[in-house]
Amino acid sequence: MTATFKESIQEALANPNLRGALGRFSEAYKISREKAYAGMDFQAVRDAVRDVKAHGASHLEELAEAFKAKAEAAGAKVYRASDPAEVKAYILALAKENGVRSIVKSKSMATEEIHLNKHLEAAGIEVYETDLGEWIIQLCHQTPSHMVMPAIHMTKEEVAEVFSTKVEEGQQPDIPKLVKFARGKLRNRFLDADMGISGANIAVAETGSLVLVTNEGNARLVTTLPRIHVAVVGIEKLVASFQDVQPILQALPRNATSQLLTSYVSIITGQVPNTDGSPKQLHIILMDNKRTEMAADPKFRQALQCIRCASCLNVCPVFRLVGGHVFGKVYTGGIGTILTAWFDELKQSDDIQGLCIQCGACKDVCPGRIDIPDLILELRRRLAVEKGMPLVQKGIFAVVNNRRLFHSLLRAASVAQKPFAKGGFIRHLPLFLSGMTDFRSLPAIAPRPFRDTFKEIVQPECKEKAAIYAGCLIDFAYPEMGEAVVRVLNKAGIRVVFPEGQTCCGAPARYNGAYETAAGNARENIKALLEEDVQYVVSACPTCTVALRDDFISTFESLGMGDDLEGARVLSAKTIDFATLVKKLVDEGRLEFKDGQQAETITYHDSCHLKRTLNAQQAPRDLLKKAGFTVTEMKECDTCCGMAGSYSLKLPELSAPILERKLENIKDTGATSVAMDCPGCVMQIRGGLDKLGSGIKVEHTAVRLAKRLK
């Protein structure tokens, strides 16, 4: 990341108003959104939205021509523009031809995308945003920080100051009064305007209709009072039939603002009379701007399923720290990163894509079922191909990809760390390394890795056999977790083998766009883990489990390595996470725990990959309860802890406040212990609590269960 971009992150983090506003909204949003979907099947709704939008993305040309024919038959004029310059030229020529001096606009991300206001103002035309949030940021000469709520980053005090400075002195930070003031100042703008410009949420090919979904009456005034109405519509807004509008209208208000229905749903079909009886000019500009290129890309076509609800921003732990002016260009957050890379250019997403923590919260709530984290990984891969990997990263991955060298260095580090290690932690590091221990203690490298201690475990003879995949942290930092996994599986009648050739799962390389390095890791692990005939390949690290089960296949597919796919698929079929396997064994009566309730109350932290990719959030809770523990849920139990592998090293300034919030939520439960199923989360949370001097115990679920075996 550039130094300037890092400075923008620091500036955002230093703004308490920004963090407070976004933090409060994010917290309230999750609760209110859940209530909005009460009694509805969200998965069914999002399936319908995905199907409608996916069909549209696959038939853009056909739908555009059908829409044009129907809309023009109803009296509209439809112009198809391939790029922003054509859109701006058309609107400016139309304005000059009709003597337009003043324009009012309703909120439109498409016009923000092409910087329309600046172009029109340069030609001497007055342009007024009439959405309250858009007007505020227009007065501030800013871009939207959020796709639905463009001024969400500002407090009422800041808005009052803007109105007092830019419009009329003496405005007070009272929200109803500020809204009334804005209405009063904008009312004459509608009456005086010669042209109104809007966007559209949906364009229906079957009828040539535009559908606008808004919460303020300004959009209706913009589209009805001026004698000319221009709608700038991205072609991805096209749907085939009027019936296709329904699922979008169900999802959009609930996902965007947690409302059952927005205040206004306007449907415009063809020309209508002006107030003087003359026919209103209706111009609809269907804008491409690389959307057909995106539709032709089999990987990125799904991004056109976005309905611009911005729910991905509302749940993003990074967005709520830095806001849209850091995490985005015109379009913000995770989906904004992807749209920026396409509508602008790939290199414009270079800095902002690095902000994605890959927690998957956005994927969970997206009504279009867009796999935003996976698309950002693909951006990283393409950026790495286009620019090449930095030398330092190349060196690191070269070491990690050399199993013998990597493991030798870790063994050497276990000796070299002795002056800094105490009680299993490294709490301080010297010189340029000191920042690594600023907000958390680091785990000391184990004196003996799991691959060594495993050889000393006496196991019973069993009919079934499982290979354990340890991953780097369990192998070299937390061997006790691996030993606990072996004890639990042995008790259920499963003998465990440790394939010596296993190495890093490749997640660090893959998450940094180095797919070729990740493919090398995958090949080594497939060879090692399939050497013996085992029923299961079990891992107690969700990130590693996802790599073995899913990522090896997708990495090979991305690189066109078809010859390696068979082995990856065989491994995938055998791979299972620890909690899911143990829950299965308990349900089959093959495992039992000691009788009696434990006095200790624990809380549980959901690791991102375990819950969102492996869908195993309930299994560990059920197991802990069967083992006699009282489980008290924490607030935001499934929000990322900020670890995310190398993310906490590359962006500690973001990892630290995310962790801080997690630790507060843990402490608020009053529990004396917190369990989790990811060694990376253990490293982050245990290290954070140690730094605070807290006595709250942090353990992997496997360790907890092993202690309670009957």
Side-chain angles (χ1 to χ4, degrees):
M1 289 182 183
T2 61
T4 304
F5 188 66
K6 280 273 195 176
E7 288 169 5
S8 70
I9 293 173
Q10 294 290 359
E11 185 179 338
L13 291 172
N15 184 342
N17 288 338
L18 175 70
R19 287 183 61 179
L22 294 178
R24 287 189 296 273
F25 172 76
S26 176
E27 193 171 321
Y29 169 80
K30 293 178 183 178
I31 298 169
S32 55
R33 179 185 171 278
E34 187 176 342
K35 290 179 181 176
Y37 274 106
M40 288 187 68
D41 184 346
F42 173 58
Q43 302 308 324
V45 171
R46 69 199 305 224
D47 283 345
V49 172
R50 176 201 58 201
D51 293 347
V52 164
K53 296 291 288 180
H55 178 269
S58 301
H59 299 81
L60 289 178
E61 181 64 29
E62 173 189 329
L63 294 180
E65 285 304 308
F67 177 87
K68 186 175 189 296
K70 289 291 185 179
E72 290 188 336
K77 183 172 182 181
V78 179
Y79 176 70
R80 296 189 61 183
S82 62
D83 58 43
E86 289 184 2
V87 178
K88 290 185 283 191
Y90 182 92
I91 295 174
L92 183 56
L94 179 67
K96 288 181 176 179
E97 180 185 330
N98 288 274
V100 171
R101 296 165 299 164
S102 175
I103 295 174
V104 286
K105 290 178 73 254
S106 62
K107 194 167 77 64
S108 161
M109 290 306 299
T111 60
E112 290 283 359
E113 178 185 328
I114 64 174
H115 310 292
L116 177 62
N117 290 9
K118 184 178 179 181
H119 182 74
L120 296 173
E121 287 166 347
I125 299 172
E126 294 179 331
V127 182
Y128 298 99
E129 294 288 351
T130 63
D131 172 89
L132 178 58
E134 286 282 349
W135 188 46
I136 292 167
I137 64 168
Q138 184 184 34
L139 292 172
C140 297
H141 303 290
Q142 295 179 3
T143 54
S145 67
H146 189 281
M147 287 186 282
V148 174
M149 294 161 281
I152 191 176
H153 58 291
M154 299 180 71
T155 63
K156 62 182 185 292
E157 288 78 14
E158 290 172 323
V159 173
E161 177 64 22
V162 169
F163 283 174
S164 296
T165 304
K166 303 286 186 178
V167 186
E168 184 179 302
E169 292 182 358
Q171 304 312 309
Q172 299 302 310
D174 180 286
I175 293 175
K177 289 181 179 178
L178 290 172
V179 172
K180 185 177 181 180
F181 172 79
R183 283 177 177 159
K185 292 297 178 183
L186 289 171
R187 188 163 292 137
N188 286 335
R189 302 296 184 195
F190 296 112
L191 297 172
D192 296 339
D194 304 302
M195 177 185 287
I197 298 178
S198 74
N201 296 92
I202 310 167
V204 185
E206 180 183 43
T207 59
S209 304
L210 300 175
V211 181
L212 283 75
V213 182
T214 62
N215 265 330
E216 299 175 25
N218 66 303
R220 287 194 174 173
L221 295 173
V222 163
T223 58
T224 56
L225 289 180
R227 54 193 169 89
I228 304 168
H229 172 206
V230 178
V232 182
V233 186
I235 57 172
E236 81 283 5
K237 301 294 181 69
L238 287 161
V239 300
S241 70
F242 213 82
Q243 186 177 345
D244 294 336
V245 172
Q246 181 185 352
I248 298 174
L249 289 186
Q250 284 182 310
L252 185 53
R254 288 175 170 85
N255 259 57
T257 52
S258 303
Q259 295 171 270
L260 301 183
L261 188 68
T262 47
S263 302
Y264 302 91
V265 177
S266 304
I267 301 172
I268 299 170
T269 307
Q271 276 184 312
V272 295
N274 283 313
T275 53
D276 62 2
S278 62
K280 180 185 296 294
Q281 291 189 47
L282 173 59
H283 297 258
I284 303 170
I285 302 174
L286 294 179
M287 182 175 72
D288 192 321
N289 195 23
K290 302 180 183 176
R291 285 159 172 81
T292 53
E293 291 178 31
M294 181 181 274
D297 188 299
K299 189 77 174 178
F300 281 95
R301 179 185 298 153
Q302 63 173 297
L304 295 175
Q305 293 160 205
C306 175
I307 63 171
R308 305 293 192 269
C309 68
S311 57
C312 52
L313 282 63
N314 300 343
V315 299
C316 175
V318 178
F319 181 86
R320 78 176 175 190
L321 288 175
V322 300
H325 289 147
V326 175
F327 199 172
K329 296 289 183 181
V330 171
Y331 297 103
T332 55
I335 190 64
T337 302
I338 297 160
L339 299 180
T340 296
W342 278 87
F343 298 165
D344 202 337
E345 56 181 324
L346 181 62
K347 67 180 181 181
Q348 292 298 321
S349 68
D350 194 3
D351 280 336
I352 55 177
Q353 59 77 24
L355 292 175
C356 175
I357 203 166
Q358 289 288 305
C359 70
C362 54
K363 181 182 174 183
D364 259 9
V365 300
C366 176
R369 286 199 182 276
I370 304 169
D371 192 342
I372 295 171
D374 186 57
L375 294 184
I376 289 178
L377 287 185
E378 179 63 15
L379 287 182
R380 291 177 183 174
R381 185 185 78 81
R382 295 186 186 188
L383 282 163
V385 170
E386 185 177 283
K387 293 173 47 185
M389 297 295 295
L391 284 175
V392 173
Q393 261 185 357
K394 278 185 178 179
I396 292 170
F397 293 146
V399 170
V400 172
N401 216 26
N402 185 327
R403 177 174 57 84
R404 296 184 189 281
L405 174 60
F406 181 43
H407 292 174
S408 297
L409 289 174
L410 287 171
R411 289 177 187 273
S414 70
V415 177
Q417 73 183 353
K418 287 182 179 178
F420 311 105
K422 185 177 180 182
F425 289 104
I426 297 173
R427 297 186 174 92
H428 303 284
L429 286 170
L431 304 173
F432 64 91
L433 298 173
S434 61
M436 295 173 66
T437 53
D438 274 350
F439 67 96
R440 64 165 185 213
S441 303
L442 294 173
I445 297 172
R448 299 179 66 213
F450 175 58
R451 61 180 58 233
D452 289 357
T453 63
F454 174 82
K455 297 169 185 174
E456 299 168 5
I457 300 173
V458 178
Q459 298 189 63
E461 287 298 327
C462 306
K463 291 183 179 179
E464 282 187 284
K465 192 161 54 173
I468 185 170
Y469 180 80
C472 302
L473 274 177
I474 292 178
D475 201 353
F476 288 92
Y478 302 123
E480 72 278 4
M481 295 180 189
E483 293 160 11
V485 170
V486 176
R487 286 201 300 275
V488 173
L489 296 186
N490 284 175
K491 197 72 175 177
I494 300 174
R495 186 175 180 83
V496 180
V497 297
F498 184 99
E500 287 283 333
Q502 64 179 272
T503 186
C504 173
C505 68
R510 179 178 165 84
Y511 291 164
N512 283 280
Y515 277 38
E516 288 77 8
T517 301
N521 293 136
R523 274 190 177 134
E524 278 197 62
N525 283 311
I526 291 168
K527 180 181 177 183
L529 295 168
L530 295 181
E531 276 180 344
E532 292 197 50
D533 183 24
V534 295
Q535 281 74 39
Y536 306 105
V537 175
V538 61
S539 172
C541 172
T543 303
C544 294
T545 308
V546 170
L548 271 58
R549 194 193 73 173
D550 302 336
D551 292 349
F552 289 0
I553 293 172
S554 60
T555 298
F556 291 150
E557 287 177 340
S558 294
L559 296 174
M561 298 169 64
D563 293 344
D564 294 283
L565 282 172
E566 184 179 353
R569 287 173 178 145
V570 171
L571 177 59
S572 175
K574 291 176 180 286
T575 299
I576 189 168
D577 68 275
F578 170 79
T580 298
L581 176 57
V582 174
K583 178 68 164 56
K584 173 177 177 289
L585 297 172
V586 169
D587 291 345
E588 291 171 354
R590 296 173 60 181
L591 266 179
E592 293 183 43
F593 299 103
K594 295 174 185 175
D595 296 329
Q597 191 75 16
Q598 296 297 293
E600 187 177 15
T601 298
I602 66 175
T603 189
Y604 185 80
H605 160 71
D606 288 280
S607 305
C608 298
H609 278 115
L610 189 74
K611 178 181 179 181
R612 299 196 175 95
T613 309
L614 300 172
N615 300 310
Q617 68 268 31
Q618 196 55 46
R621 288 174 167 83
D622 291 344
L623 292 169
L624 289 166
K625 290 173 184 176
K626 284 182 179 292
F629 296 103
T630 300
V631 179
T632 300
E633 294 292 345
M634 74 173 84
K635 186 171 68 175
E636 298 182 330
C637 57
D638 61 349
T639 299
C640 184
C641 68
M643 173 60 185
S646 60
Y647 191 95
S648 62
L649 300 177
K650 292 193 299 183
L651 286 167
E653 59 268 64
L654 296 177
S655 179
I658 294 173
L659 173 62
E660 180 184 356
R661 190 179 182 101
K662 176 63 64 174
L663 299 184
E664 286 298 321
N665 288 337
I666 291 170
K667 288 188 288 184
D668 286 347
T669 66
T672 56
S673 180
V674 55
M676 59 207 66
D677 278 69
C678 175
C681 296
V682 170
M683 173 180 164
Q684 178 86 334
I685 294 172
R686 185 184 284 175
L689 288 170
D690 179 75
K691 200 73 175 178
L692 294 175
S694 170
I696 298 174
K697 189 184 295 183
V698 182
E699 284 190 318
H700 193 290
T701 301
V703 175
R704 280 280 168 179
L705 297 179
K707 293 175 182 177
R708 294 290 299 161
L709 289 172
K710 199 172 223 182

